[in-house]
Amino acid sequence: MNWQLKWILFGGLWLFVAGGYAQEQKQDSVLKANTSEQFYDSLKHKAYRHRFTRLMYDNLITDGKTKDQQQIEQELLRMGALEGKTIASVKIKQLDIIGPSFSDTARVSHSWLGQTANKLHTQTNERIIRKNILVHPGDTLNVDYLLDNERIIRRLPFIKDVRILVDQDSLIQDHVHVTVLTKDVFSFGVGGYLDGLRAASLEMYNQNIWGIGHQLSAKVVGHVEEQPYIGFEGFYTINNIGGNFMNISLGYADTYRRKGLSFVFDKEFLRSTTKWGGGFTAARWNRADRLIDDGPIIVNFDELDYRYYDVWAGYAFQLFEGELNRNKQLVFSGRARFYDFFKRPEPDPMNNQYFADSKFYLASLSLSKRRYFRDHLIYSYGITEDIPKGYLHEWVLGFDDNEFNNRWYSHLYFSSGNFIKYKPSYLHASAGIGGFFRSNRFEQGQIEVDGSYISRLYAFGNKGFRQFIKLNYLLGIRRFELEELSLRGEDGIRGFGSRLPLGKQRLLLCFESVVFPPRHVLDFNFAFFSFVDLGIIGSNKHLIFTQDYYAGVGAGVRIRNENLVFQTLQLRLSWFPNHPADIGTFGFELNERTKSQFYNFQPRKPDMLRFE
């Protein structure tokens, strides 16, 4: 192993352990100090007399829980005291996108920019919000049910955040009133990319057309060498049709990358009480550079012309219904997927079935349990986030009936997520093994192990601090020749653009420290981060630790305005100490970054494990 990489790995581990220990010691001292409120009051009063001592106090002293955490706990205590009472009314109150907050709904924006944004924005139609509300007058108040309803409303792309409040009726002791507070995001956005002087795109989108919750996007795509030189993509989506949480999306594209039409209907197992889910996808691509469903294999777009159909359905049985553990589901699902090719690369029936006409049938049996807990400053910047706790275990069995060879498929997958000793520190782990069976031969198999850790939000003066760790190991077993793993992309070594390190086996270990400053500029929030990524990649015939080592070390800043639908803007500087010949020692990136999502243990359609 390169000596530089050894020291980077050792240094990263030491910094994490030492930093965590220091934070634990600091938190213990803070908890002891909090036993005396008068001590804090007098110390703060004296420190604020001078500028220097005030700066020292703000950066070294913390009162433990943040205001948001305290507010969340107080709301839960109030709602818990009213559990079991009858809901007399359900009201909706919509706040302006700029100015008011859930803690101060009367606050108004005094800036010209904020006032203009409020005037230009079309508030979501109250009917759209109401069809996403699951409680009604006459229902019995269930706090877990209300919190899950908050989560469902927060998932809507045009909602910034939601808070459900419960108040005691002033006359009837057994009645309560529910108020649903919502804040929209400014739904219109612009995005795009620039690939040197060769290619570029410009996208305009609206996540809430006319306030009815429909989504529309239009993108112009250009390339100076590939035809068509100027192309177009457009998508239209309707969410929660008829209040049944069914979504429909229509798409059209005619660019140098692809040309065709797509239609998607989908109904998820959105709640732990959802009885059935399903979906249907149809696509006709006259020209494309990859398949819809089979990973990152990219070909010359002139070589692919095909149609695709995919239908699935599942039914959930509630286990222990009526008890505290009623959120357990046993789900049976079935799926059929069809590929018909009109033009394709010449398939090799012995080694490559990616481009074979096929009928693929899949069935799954899964066991799911999930609950969600509220927190903030994890992947977002101050708005409420829903942390899943639970598990999803599944067994998938399939039969691939294609023009060359018929094959069976099967995999086992286990995943679990939970809070650990210092809640809400969060740990998620998963493991899977599976592949195809043809003529008593196992092929296209894999073993995968994933783990992630998110520390609790440490109070670092008046700032917030979290530590993130991710581990991923993937081993391919008798994979096809064209199936290669790499270290590129956001899920590999960050900023590492090399196409040279490839293999059938990969280990990734990623550390990231994030500081969330309390102040913002015109509602733009900042998060400063540093990272150390280590990647090992190579043959699947030898132990992973004997393969090639690569690393990335860097820092950057993320900028996000939660009032807008724009993605997070990320500025990142990276150093690659042992880099391949096709990239340099340093990397600099300015790009848009989609928000990371928690794995939510939600039952899903039967699918293969992904080798990518």
Side-chain angles (χ1 to χ4, degrees), residues 247-268:
N247 307 321
I248 286 179
S249 179
L250 300 169
Y252 170 77
D254 185 5
T255 72
Y256 72 92
R257 288 181 171 175
R258 57 182 179 171
K259 178 183 179 181
L261 297 163
S262 67
F263 169 84
V264 178
F265 163 81
D266 187 49
K267 185 181 187 299
E268 305 175 66

Side-chain angles (χ1 to χ4, degrees), residues 290-309:
R290 69 181 68 196
L291 300 180
I292 288 179
D293 199 44
D294 282 334
I297 305 300
I298 301 175
V299 299
N300 186 313
F301 64 78
D302 287 330
E303 296 182 341
L304 278 184
D305 183 358
Y306 66 93
R307 63 186 175 192
Y308 172 86
Y309 302 102

Side-chain angles (χ1 to χ4, degrees), residues 8-22:
I8 289 170
L9 177 59
F10 175 77
L13 288 170
W14 184 86
L15 285 173
F16 172 74
V17 174
Y21 176 78

